[in-house]
Amino acid sequence: MPDGTESESRKLLVRLRDTLAEGGAGQERLDKITHLIASSMLTEVCSIYLFRDDDTLELCATEGLKAESVHQTRLRLGEGLVGRVAKTTQIVNTANAPSERGFRYMPETGEEAYSSFLGVPIQRLGETLGVLVVQSKEAREFSSDEVYALEVVAMVLAEMAELGAFVGDGAALKALHQQPVLFRGTVGQEGTAEGHIWLHEPRVVVTNPVAEDPQAETERLRKAVDDLRVSVDQMLSVAEGGDADHVQVLEAYKMFANSKGWLRRMEEDISRGLSAEAAVEKEQSIARSRMARSTDAYLRERLNDLDDLSNRLLRILTGQGSDTGAEMPDDPILVARNIGPAELLDYGRRLKGVILEEGSVGSHAAIVARALAIPLVVHASNITTEALNGNHVLLDGDQGVVHLRPDENVVKAFRDQMAMQAQAQERYASIRDLPAETLCGRRIALTMNAGLMADLPSLPTSGAEGVGLFRTELQFLVRNKMPKRAELSALYGRVLDAADGQPVVFRTLDIGSDKVLPYMKPNDEPNPALGWRAIRVGLDKPGVLRMQLQALIRAANGRPLSVMFPFIAQMDEFTVARQEIDKAMAREERLGHVLPSELKIGTMLETPSLAFAPQAFFEQVDFVSIGGNDLKQFFFAADRENERVRRRYDTLNVSFLSFLEGIVSRCRTTGTPLSFCGEDAGRPIEALCLAAIGLPSLSMRPASIGPVKHLLRRTNLEELYQVICQARESGVQSVRPAVMEYLAKAAIPSAN
């Protein structure tokens, strides 16, 4: 780039900075800026469009178009060339705007005289705030230098908007981070919470987007990059020989930190007039924009690495570390892009809730959140960009909704809802020690799911009759290396101690699919949910399975022990797994260790194939637990991580209920104890129907036991079963409407 062009670019940014420093209202500043840009770039028109809501852009300032069109001209997202820039975050540069795809003529602006059009997005860290446009009568494409200059100006405008430089009257000039915002995500863990935001990674604020001295800024950047490279090398030397996945990420960090292209682009941004911090953030914004558009998983991971590395570099440049000096509120609701299980456990029960931009309903964080009974919403897009530490927030984990900075009406309605839930919990407490006995005399066993020692205090207070599922994988997931047998034995022993004689069913290691150990090399599988996971890993790599079985036997120390294998798909897998327990028992006896007083060996039924196993299987297995979450997704061929399809299929679909009833019948024939474990077991209506078709035991999160027991004790299951049968015979797809009608006529609250 010629020195003259670089000088003009810097001059424009300096003039822009000086204009912003003059003070004045937001509208006045915008008017000055459009005049400044048009005169500097020798164009007849410069216009600034800002979002007034998620789908609507508003013309907020212009030089060259009709003044009366300001705050009157509006475009939907994707409408016209301006809307196209906003939607795609792609630059539009054309010599003949009217001939462009999607062009929309706006007569109220008087723009018919202008042929050339250049529009660039005003964006910050992946969030698009608006569009900056220049136009001219001369039919020409703008040069690459002019495009670059306008991009840099748009970057500064985004930073100044973040700092509140353009606040004024009207929705488009509203102050950022002060208005109520509704986020719709995905339910990760049910429950409701009110509190204040605590950012896992506080945002870095760039207060000096324009460089005073480009040479000094370049030197600052180079020194910061050198410091970054040293820190990455140090992290790598510590990680070498450990967690392979962690090392791979750090290798990617090292590649980017040593990228000459990355450094050259940032230095070029500085030469155009940006400060070192603004140059880093410009590259970061481009990476986030590409990440949002990319469908390639590998590319998204690499762009995510670059985004994380940019954050580290920004913290070095600004001195704004993770510890900002802010105090965690008394009622913290954690907000993060994503978070690992160990980090979430570090926060522990201090948190009232968790909101993630990424994650999944089966992620490690979701598993820990369920274990800690902390409401969790995932896929809350852009919340890390919008939320500030200390913001008031309402989290509805039952619906997957987050109200950030809610208004008084929303707060009142939410608190009324929470008060009703609290009153219900008081009612449930009164029946805590009573059995889940229905009006027709059937008694349903209600047990709880657990995965951490922190869960066990809920056992006596929840009214559960034991632990129907203890997930052993959490102890493997939260560590950076394989736990030792003695450590596991001590933990399992403490679990049995805390259960105080009530039954505990330990599920052996359920890894693979969405649960990859930090120290386990991930497998590149096209469909990991149907791949090498759970018992398949245990049988192919029996060392860990044997170690875990030995730890369980020693933990029992003469007490009864129940062990359950996950994801058994056919009889042979159970037979081989059971042989491993027989070998472990024989070995422990030879070593002189005390054996369990009673040993029960069962399986989770999570694949439709196992429901059709030979009768010999049901005769030899000590118990069966239906794993409803996986079984339902395989039955309907609907990925439970995919919001488009998972909600499409109802548990009370007649096909699924008939399938479950077939399993009940087979287990009755062989006298095999049967239970149902999963999210649906803890939903009162679903639980009621599962009990009605003959399931004698349900295992759920502790908080669900009260509502389920309350409804069971007020229902006649024999009558309900007749309702289900009649609905099924009528040819309906789901029995839910008929069940709800029955409950309404019987004046039984649904508790859903």
Side-chain angles (χ1 to χ4, degrees), residues 43 119 146 162 172 196 251-252 260 311 317 378 417 469 533 539 541 545 591 659-660 662 673 689 724 745:
T43 61
E146 289 172 312
E162 175 77 10
H196 292 84
E251 290 286 3
K260 293 180 180 178
N311 275 332
L317 282 166
V378 298
Q417 176 188 345
L469 166 66
R533 54 174 291 201
L539 296 180
K541 302 287 185 181
L545 177 62
L591 293 173
F659 177 67
L660 293 178
C689 293
I724 291 172
K745 286 181 178 178

Side-chain angles (χ1 to χ4, degrees), residues 240-548:
E240 295 258 331
D243 174 4
D245 213 20
H246 188 204
V247 170
Q248 185 180 13
V249 171
L250 290 175
E251 290 286 3
Y253 279 3
K254 183 173 182 178
M255 178 186 71
F256 284 126
N258 288 280
S259 167
K260 293 180 180 178
W262 185 49
L263 181 59
R264 184 182 67 250
R265 289 192 300 274
M266 292 187 292
E267 288 180 345
E268 189 173 357
D269 289 330
I270 292 173
S271 75
R272 301 284 187 134
L274 290 181
S275 67
E277 290 88 342
V280 174
E281 210 168 74
K282 181 173 179 290
E283 281 296 305
Q284 190 177 17
S285 289
I286 292 170
R288 283 202 180 181
S289 181
R290 289 181 63 199
M291 190 159 51
R293 295 193 306 270
S294 175
T295 56
D296 182 276
Y298 178 80
L299 180 58
R300 285 180 62 85
E301 284 181 18
R302 298 290 72 81
L303 290 169
N304 191 49
D305 292 339
L306 180 56
D307 188 49
D308 288 342
L309 200 68
S310 298
N311 275 332
R312 291 175 183 270
L313 185 55
L314 279 171
R315 295 192 190 287
I316 293 172
L317 282 166
T318 62
Q320 299 174 31
S322 296
D323 184 4
T324 62
E327 290 188 10
M328 182 183 287
D330 294 332
D331 51 1
I333 291 183
L334 185 75
V335 168
R337 266 197 16 243
N338 214 335
I339 189 169
E343 293 173 302
L344 189 51
L345 277 172
D346 285 342
Y347 285 107
R349 294 185 185 273
R350 288 182 296 169
L351 299 177
K352 297 293 183 183
V354 179
I355 307 166
L356 301 179
E357 275 194 9
E358 300 173 3
S360 68
V361 297
S363 67
H364 303 165
I367 294 167
V368 172
R370 289 187 198 113
L372 296 174
I374 298 172
L376 167 68
V377 171
V378 298
H379 303 151
S381 298
N382 294 325
I383 193 165
T384 57
T385 307
E386 180 63 43
L388 297 177
N389 265 340
N391 280 167
H392 187 204
V393 64
L394 308 174
L395 189 164
D396 186 344
D398 298 327
Q399 302 298 323
V401 170
V402 175
H403 300 274
L404 181 64
R405 299 183 292 268
D407 61 35
E408 290 183 8
N409 291 332
V410 173
V411 172
K412 183 178 184 304
F414 193 86
R415 287 177 178 169
D416 287 345
Q417 176 188 345
M418 291 185 70
M420 290 175 63
Q421 291 174 344
Q423 290 173 0
Q425 288 299 329
E426 290 177 9
R427 292 199 305 272
Y428 305 147
S430 68
I431 61 171
R432 181 188 63 196
D433 298 325
L434 298 176
E437 187 170 336
T438 68
L439 295 180
C440 56
R442 290 242 330 256
R443 184 165 177 172
I444 308 301
L446 303 182
T447 59
M448 62 175 265
N449 301 332
L452 296 167
M453 275 301 299
D455 294 325
L456 273 298
S458 299
L459 184 54
T461 60
S462 67
E465 299 175 43
V467 178
L469 166 66
F470 190 89
R471 306 179 184 92
T472 61
E473 59 269 11
L474 287 181
Q475 311 310 318
F476 290 79
L477 289 169
V478 299
R479 297 165 179 254
N480 288 322
K481 59 182 180 180
M482 183 76 71
K484 296 179 180 177
R485 180 176 54 198
E487 294 172 334
L488 291 178
S489 178
L491 169 71
Y492 301 151
R494 291 197 300 273
V495 170
L496 290 169
D497 291 341
D500 195 24
Q502 289 190 287
V504 178
V505 177
F506 291 94
R507 183 178 69 187
T508 60
L509 194 58
D510 185 5
I511 55 171
S513 184
D514 49 19
K515 297 190 286 287
V516 179
L517 300 182
Y519 39 87
M520 172 182 168
K521 184 178 180 180
N523 288 287
D524 186 16
E525 296 182 301
N527 193 341
L530 296 174
W532 196 59
R533 54 174 291 201
I535 197 63
R536 296 169 179 176
V537 177
L539 296 180
D540 289 351
K541 302 287 185 181
V544 176
L545 177 62
R546 290 168 184 165
M547 181 265 285
Q548 190 179 23

Side-chain angles (χ1 to χ4, degrees), residues 439 685 688 710-720 723 737-750:
L439 295 180
I685 298 299
L688 205 61
H710 177 73
L711 192 55
L712 282 168
R713 287 177 57 84
R714 302 183 66 180
T715 305
N716 185 316
L717 291 184
E718 292 178 359
E719 289 183 2
L720 180 61
V723 170
V739 170
M740 298 302 290
E741 183 181 354
Y742 164 75
L743 294 176
K745 286 181 178 178
I748 303 173
S750 68

Side-chain angles (χ1 to χ4, degrees), residues 298 362 463 534 558 560 581 625 664 684:
Y298 178 80
I581 291 189
S625 178
V664 171

Side-chain angles (χ1 to χ4, degrees), residues 692-746:
I693 65 170
L695 279 150
S697 179
L698 305 172
S699 190
M700 63 202 73
R701 66 189 183 108
S704 296
I705 289 174
V708 170
K709 183 186 290 187
H710 177 73
L711 192 55
L712 282 168
R713 287 177 57 84
R714 302 183 66 180
T715 305
N716 185 316
L717 291 184
E718 292 178 359
E719 289 183 2
L720 180 61
Y721 183 65
Q722 292 304 314
V723 170
I724 291 172
C725 289
Q726 289 168 11
R728 186 159 46 188
E729 290 167 6
S730 72
V732 296
Q733 180 170 283
S734 171
V735 304
R736 188 178 297 275
V739 170
M740 298 302 290
E741 183 181 354
Y742 164 75
L743 294 176
K745 286 181 178 178

